């Protein structure tokens, strides 16, 4: 097992307006780490995850990551186009180049999560199916760091 640090937070603080969300957080994330963040609703867990993922900037402090690190972030309530088909939701530019058809990779990840209706509009999926589709979207790029905010929302026990 490797202990390479892939991301470091140094004295990170975050304020929104006059409200201090958290302050002076320092931590290192290593390859193969599995970390859970537990706290009451509204204490700043999602904000911290968004700072780690680079979705929003910290107010103070430093976010240092290994060169070429690939981060995937699955938010609590992802925004989606209800008319977009499942497979198109996974493909970054929403189109497959016939000469470089990598759709089998996307279909494979979806299938492992139990999603096989690749051309079904997202708006017709159940909450659990949409969550699995969003999880597949995060996994297809083989990230070095996978950040899941409330990962079990809408999922059945077998999937969890």
């Amino acid at each position: 097992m490797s202990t390479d640090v892939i991301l470091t937070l140094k004295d990170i603080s975050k304020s929104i307006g006059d409200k201090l969300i958290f302050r002076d957080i320092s931590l290192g994330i290593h390859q193969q780490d599995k970390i859970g963040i537990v706290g009451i609703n509204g204490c700043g867990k999602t904000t911290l995850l968004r700072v780690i993922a680079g979705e929003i900037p910290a107010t103070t402090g430093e976010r240092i990551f290994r060169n070429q690190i690939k981060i995937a972030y699955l938010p609590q309530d992802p925004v989606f186009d209800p008319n977009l088909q499942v497979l198109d939701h996974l493909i970054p530019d929403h189109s497959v180049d016939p000469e470089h058809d990598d759709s089998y990779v996307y279909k494979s990840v979806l299938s492992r999560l139990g999603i096989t209706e690749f051309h079904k509009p997202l708006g017709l999926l159940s909450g659990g199916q949409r969550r699995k589709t969003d999880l597949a979207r995060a996994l297809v790029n083989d990230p070095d760091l996978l950040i899941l905010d409330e990962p079990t929302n809408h999922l059945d026990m077998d999937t969890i």
Side-chain angles (χ1 to χ4, degrees):
M1 177 167 35
S2 176
T3 59
D4 292 337
V5 176
I6 59 173
L7 187 132
T8 302
L9 298 183
K10 184 176 178 188
D11 300 320
I12 294 286
S13 296
K14 180 65 180 175
S15 296
I16 298 176
D18 290 341
K19 183 175 181 174
L20 178 66
I21 308 299
F22 51 80
R23 72 167 182 232
D24 299 329
I25 294 178
S26 295
L27 61 89
I29 299 175
H30 300 80
Q31 283 184 304
Q32 307 300 320
D33 276 356
K34 291 170 183 58
I35 301 168
I37 299 175
V38 180
I40 62 172
N41 288 342
C43 72
K45 298 179 302 288
T46 293
T47 302
L48 176 59
L49 293 177
R50 292 183 68 207
V51 168
I52 292 170
E55 294 280 312
I56 59 173
T59 304
T60 63
E62 205 172 353
R63 181 176 161 267
I64 307 159
F65 50 93
R66 186 184 73 208
N67 287 341
Q68 307 302 317
I69 186 174
K70 289 189 290 184
I71 299 174
Y73 171 62
L74 177 57
Q76 219 175 117
D77 296 308
V79 178
F80 66 94
D81 176 349
N83 299 312
L84 195 62
Q85 293 180 4
V86 169
L87 190 59
D88 291 335
H89 182 60
L90 267 66
I91 299 170
D93 65 359
H94 305 301
S95 64
V96 174
D97 178 359
E99 291 186 31
H100 302 94
D101 186 359
D102 291 334
S103 65
Y104 70 91
V105 173
Y106 304 111
K107 289 177 182 177
S108 172
V109 173
L110 285 164
S111 294
R112 284 186 289 176
L113 291 169
I115 304 295
T116 57
E117 296 178 275
F118 308 126
H119 300 290
K120 190 171 188 176
L122 293 174
L124 297 179
L125 299 178
S126 70
Q129 290 170 319
R130 270 197 316 274
R131 192 65 173 171
K132 289 177 185 181
T133 301
D134 288 325
L135 181 56
R137 186 177 188 187
L139 292 172
V140 294
N141 293 316
D142 193 27
D144 300 298
L145 178 59
L146 177 61
I147 300 172
L148 307 172
D149 191 352
E150 302 271 352
T152 59
N153 282 0
H154 306 292
L155 295 179
D156 57 61
M157 289 306 291
D158 290 337
T159 303
I160 293 168

